[in-house]
Amino acid sequence: MSNKLERLKAMTDVVADTGDIEAIRTFQPQDATTNPSLLLKAAALPHYAMLLKEARDWAAGQGGSDSERLANCCDRFAVDVGREILEIVPGRISTEVDARLSFDTSATISRARKLVGLYEAAGVSRDRILIKIASTWEGIRAGEQLEREGINCNLTLLFGFAQAAACADAGVYLVSPFVGRILDWHLANTDLVINSPEDDPGVISVRRIYQYYKAHDYTTVVMGASFRNTGEIEALAGCDRLTISPDLLAALAADTAPLARRLTPLDAHSADAREESAEAGFRLQLNYDAMATAKLAEGIRNFISDQLKLEQLISQP
């Protein structure tokens, strides 16, 4: 008897939101995603002790200042973790640019090129890599340029429609709207009552983006992320991709109830007119979206915090 995870895989590309090799082997996703928070967890696992040591040794051999060696070590560790994951998954790995560069287009482009160069030096072609970048105006512009260079991007920390529209207009490969964090904000800041996933503002947001992209023939992939429960995932069955944590993958695998497709390109329609994104309009729309403004800023701060913790861990002898 099939389970919900198997049924979901028949209609959506399932992506593992983890750096845990054993979990990836167990659930056999198409792709996998990492970020500073997941790399911090991975660095504490015995499985990655040798990769961490090799990254330290390699960075030391590159020379440069202490900060440059630390950045090299973090980048090399991220790439080595990604490379090992790619030995298991048939698709792509998403590797994130340092979140401290979220408001610096040129620095983001430079770091992305560096990460791709490290992958290619390790024998991994760029068609198996997605560079994760925060969906700030500067990050979206970096993604636009990188796509022109043949470097595909995953625009992350996406909470508002203005971000989604600008990303599609920039021609980025994939966006990651964060379902659960949108819900978190509404529960903390409004009187919203959730009776079912149909009421979930994160689910509603992803459906709107999906409908908009399909109705206006954008090729940008929609990958729902940051789920709080399996109900959110089931409500988005049929979305291009969904990146899911190991605990929720396990819950889906243990459930043998039916799972219906909820999204399909053939049924796509959108009340949102297609128009090109200009910087002033983007910033104004984002400013009016209190949830997206708050969660984007918080997400960047949290990723920076975990990046600093990773650097502290790496710096230990």
Side-chain angles (χ1 to χ4, degrees), residues 66-85:
D66 289 345
S67 62
E68 288 171 335
R69 287 196 296 273
L70 194 55
N72 282 334
C73 184
C74 288
D75 287 345
R76 176 61 184 266
F77 180 65
V79 167
D80 284 349
V81 170
R83 180 173 50 80
E84 186 161 334
I85 290 171

mmCIF file of all heavy atoms in Angstrom, residues 66-85:
data_model
loop_
_atom_site.group_PDB
_atom_site.id
_atom_site.type_symbol
_atom_site.label_atom_id
_atom_site.label_comp_id
_atom_site.label_asym_id
_atom_site.label_seq_id
_atom_site.Cartn_x
_atom_site.Cartn_y
_atom_site.Cartn_z
ATOM 1 N N ASP A 66 42.616 36.376 8.632
ATOM 2 C CA ASP A 66 41.803 35.446 9.425
ATOM 3 C C ASP A 66 40.376 35.388 8.896
ATOM 4 O O ASP A 66 39.793 34.299 8.795
ATOM 5 C CB ASP A 66 41.791 35.878 10.899
ATOM 6 C CG ASP A 66 43.134 35.653 11.582
ATOM 7 O OD1 ASP A 66 43.971 34.922 11.016
ATOM 8 O OD2 ASP A 66 43.339 36.221 12.678
ATOM 9 N N SER A 67 39.806 36.537 8.568
ATOM 10 C CA SER A 67 38.429 36.562 8.079
ATOM 11 C C SER A 67 38.313 35.873 6.716
ATOM 12 O O SER A 67 37.325 35.181 6.445
ATOM 13 C CB SER A 67 37.922 38.003 7.988
ATOM 14 O OG SER A 67 38.697 38.753 7.072
ATOM 15 N N GLU A 68 39.311 36.034 5.880
ATOM 16 C CA GLU A 68 39.288 35.372 4.570
ATOM 17 C C GLU A 68 39.409 33.860 4.717
ATOM 18 O O GLU A 68 38.714 33.103 4.020
ATOM 19 C CB GLU A 68 40.420 35.912 3.699
ATOM 20 C CG GLU A 68 40.205 37.333 3.212
ATOM 21 C CD GLU A 68 41.421 37.918 2.534
ATOM 22 O OE1 GLU A 68 42.562 37.465 2.838
ATOM 23 O OE2 GLU A 68 41.243 38.821 1.693
ATOM 24 N N ARG A 69 40.265 33.410 5.614
ATOM 25 C CA ARG A 69 40.405 31.971 5.844
ATOM 26 C C ARG A 69 39.113 31.377 6.409
ATOM 27 O O ARG A 69 38.708 30.273 6.034
ATOM 28 C CB ARG A 69 41.575 31.686 6.783
ATOM 29 C CG ARG A 69 42.948 31.887 6.146
ATOM 30 C CD ARG A 69 44.047 31.229 6.966
ATOM 31 N NE ARG A 69 44.169 31.845 8.291
ATOM 32 C CZ ARG A 69 44.918 32.918 8.556
ATOM 33 N NH1 ARG A 69 45.610 33.488 7.569
ATOM 34 N NH2 ARG A 69 44.994 33.403 9.766
ATOM 35 N N LEU A 70 38.468 32.139 7.294
ATOM 36 C CA LEU A 70 37.220 31.660 7.879
ATOM 37 C C LEU A 70 36.132 31.564 6.816
ATOM 38 O O LEU A 70 35.384 30.578 6.754
ATOM 39 C CB LEU A 70 36.787 32.605 9.004
ATOM 40 C CG LEU A 70 35.697 32.107 9.953
ATOM 41 C CD1 LEU A 70 36.082 30.770 10.576
ATOM 42 C CD2 LEU A 70 35.441 33.150 11.043
ATOM 43 N N ALA A 71 36.044 32.571 5.959
ATOM 44 C CA ALA A 71 35.061 32.539 4.872
ATOM 45 C C ALA A 71 35.345 31.388 3.922
ATOM 46 O O ALA A 71 34.422 30.678 3.480
ATOM 47 C CB ALA A 71 35.077 33.870 4.118
ATOM 48 N N ASN A 72 36.614 31.169 3.600
ATOM 49 C CA ASN A 72 36.990 30.058 2.721
ATOM 50 C C ASN A 72 36.623 28.721 3.332
ATOM 51 O O ASN A 72 36.133 27.817 2.634
ATOM 52 C CB ASN A 72 38.491 30.101 2.434
ATOM 53 C CG ASN A 72 38.861 31.140 1.402
ATOM 54 O OD1 ASN A 72 38.041 31.506 0.554
ATOM 55 N ND2 ASN A 72 40.089 31.628 1.454
ATOM 56 N N CYS A 73 36.837 28.597 4.635
ATOM 57 C CA CYS A 73 36.529 27.345 5.311
ATOM 58 C C CYS A 73 35.029 27.067 5.282
ATOM 59 O O CYS A 73 34.597 25.950 4.981
ATOM 60 C CB CYS A 73 37.031 27.397 6.757
ATOM 61 S SG CYS A 73 36.814 25.847 7.665
ATOM 62 N N CYS A 74 34.226 28.096 5.576
ATOM 63 C CA CYS A 74 32.767 27.927 5.565
ATOM 64 C C CYS A 74 32.265 27.567 4.170
ATOM 65 O O CYS A 74 31.419 26.678 4.013
ATOM 66 C CB CYS A 74 32.093 29.208 6.051
ATOM 67 S SG CYS A 74 32.284 29.520 7.818
ATOM 68 N N ASP A 75 32.792 28.255 3.161
ATOM 69 C CA ASP A 75 32.362 27.966 1.791
ATOM 70 C C ASP A 75 32.757 26.555 1.377
ATOM 71 O O ASP A 75 31.976 25.837 0.753
ATOM 72 C CB ASP A 75 32.958 28.995 0.824
ATOM 73 C CG ASP A 75 32.299 30.361 0.933
ATOM 74 O OD1 ASP A 75 31.219 30.454 1.537
ATOM 75 O OD2 ASP A 75 32.878 31.332 0.415
ATOM 76 N N ARG A 76 33.969 26.167 1.721
ATOM 77 C CA ARG A 76 34.434 24.826 1.359
ATOM 78 C C ARG A 76 33.621 23.754 2.090
ATOM 79 O O ARG A 76 33.239 22.732 1.481
ATOM 80 C CB ARG A 76 35.916 24.685 1.692
ATOM 81 C CG ARG A 76 36.501 23.293 1.455
ATOM 82 C CD ARG A 76 36.399 22.859 -0.011
ATOM 83 N NE ARG A 76 36.866 21.505 -0.191
ATOM 84 C CZ ARG A 76 38.123 21.182 -0.540
ATOM 85 N NH1 ARG A 76 39.021 22.139 -0.755
ATOM 86 N NH2 ARG A 76 38.477 19.931 -0.678
ATOM 87 N N PHE A 77 33.297 23.993 3.358
ATOM 88 C CA PHE A 77 32.491 23.027 4.102
ATOM 89 C C PHE A 77 31.104 22.903 3.480
ATOM 90 O O PHE A 77 30.580 21.795 3.293
ATOM 91 C CB PHE A 77 32.387 23.441 5.567
ATOM 92 C CG PHE A 77 31.560 22.499 6.403
ATOM 93 C CD1 PHE A 77 31.974 21.192 6.619
ATOM 94 C CD2 PHE A 77 30.363 22.922 6.977
ATOM 95 C CE1 PHE A 77 31.217 20.309 7.391
ATOM 96 C CE2 PHE A 77 29.602 22.057 7.749
ATOM 97 C CZ PHE A 77 30.029 20.749 7.960
ATOM 98 N N ALA A 78 30.487 24.043 3.129
ATOM 99 C CA ALA A 78 29.165 24.022 2.511
ATOM 100 C C ALA A 78 29.188 23.236 1.205
ATOM 101 O O ALA A 78 28.280 22.439 0.921
ATOM 102 C CB ALA A 78 28.684 25.447 2.262
ATOM 103 N N VAL A 79 30.221 23.445 0.412
ATOM 104 C CA VAL A 79 30.343 22.753 -0.870
ATOM 105 C C VAL A 79 30.598 21.260 -0.663
ATOM 106 O O VAL A 79 30.019 20.417 -1.360
ATOM 107 C CB VAL A 79 31.449 23.393 -1.725
ATOM 108 C CG1 VAL A 79 31.822 22.507 -2.914
ATOM 109 C CG2 VAL A 79 31.006 24.777 -2.204
ATOM 110 N N ASP A 80 31.444 20.915 0.306
ATOM 111 C CA ASP A 80 31.729 19.501 0.559
ATOM 112 C C ASP A 80 30.490 18.758 1.056
ATOM 113 O O ASP A 80 30.249 17.602 0.676
ATOM 114 C CB ASP A 80 32.869 19.364 1.568
ATOM 115 C CG ASP A 80 34.229 19.658 0.955
ATOM 116 O OD1 ASP A 80 34.319 19.755 -0.286
ATOM 117 O OD2 ASP A 80 35.207 19.798 1.714
ATOM 118 N N VAL A 81 29.702 19.418 1.923
ATOM 119 C CA VAL A 81 28.436 18.817 2.355
ATOM 120 C C VAL A 81 27.509 18.649 1.156
ATOM 121 O O VAL A 81 26.904 17.597 0.956
ATOM 122 C CB VAL A 81 27.763 19.680 3.445
ATOM 123 C CG1 VAL A 81 26.341 19.184 3.720
ATOM 124 C CG2 VAL A 81 28.584 19.654 4.729
ATOM 125 N N GLY A 82 27.415 19.689 0.342
ATOM 126 C CA GLY A 82 26.579 19.620 -0.849
ATOM 127 C C GLY A 82 27.020 18.526 -1.804
ATOM 128 O O GLY A 82 26.188 17.800 -2.368
ATOM 129 N N ARG A 83 28.322 18.414 -1.990
ATOM 130 C CA ARG A 83 28.849 17.394 -2.903
ATOM 131 C C ARG A 83 28.501 15.985 -2.407
ATOM 132 O O ARG A 83 28.144 15.108 -3.207
ATOM 133 C CB ARG A 83 30.366 17.551 -3.009
ATOM 134 C CG ARG A 83 31.051 16.545 -3.922
ATOM 135 C CD ARG A 83 32.518 16.898 -4.091
ATOM 136 N NE ARG A 83 33.185 17.139 -2.826
ATOM 137 C CZ ARG A 83 33.637 16.171 -2.004
ATOM 138 N NH1 ARG A 83 33.464 14.893 -2.348
ATOM 139 N NH2 ARG A 83 34.247 16.471 -0.881
ATOM 140 N N GLU A 84 28.578 15.763 -1.105
ATOM 141 C CA GLU A 84 28.241 14.442 -0.567
ATOM 142 C C GLU A 84 26.748 14.151 -0.732
ATOM 143 O O GLU A 84 26.358 13.028 -1.060
ATOM 144 C CB GLU A 84 28.636 14.363 0.917
ATOM 145 C CG GLU A 84 28.441 12.986 1.496
ATOM 146 C CD GLU A 84 29.236 12.757 2.767
ATOM 147 O OE1 GLU A 84 30.268 13.421 2.955
ATOM 148 O OE2 GLU A 84 28.806 11.913 3.567
ATOM 149 N N ILE A 85 25.925 15.168 -0.529
ATOM 150 C CA ILE A 85 24.483 14.993 -0.726
ATOM 151 C C ILE A 85 24.185 14.647 -2.185
ATOM 152 O O ILE A 85 23.316 13.816 -2.471
ATOM 153 C CB ILE A 85 23.729 16.269 -0.292
ATOM 154 C CG1 ILE A 85 23.790 16.414 1.235
ATOM 155 C CG2 ILE A 85 22.280 16.231 -0.767
ATOM 156 C CD1 ILE A 85 23.258 17.735 1.752
#
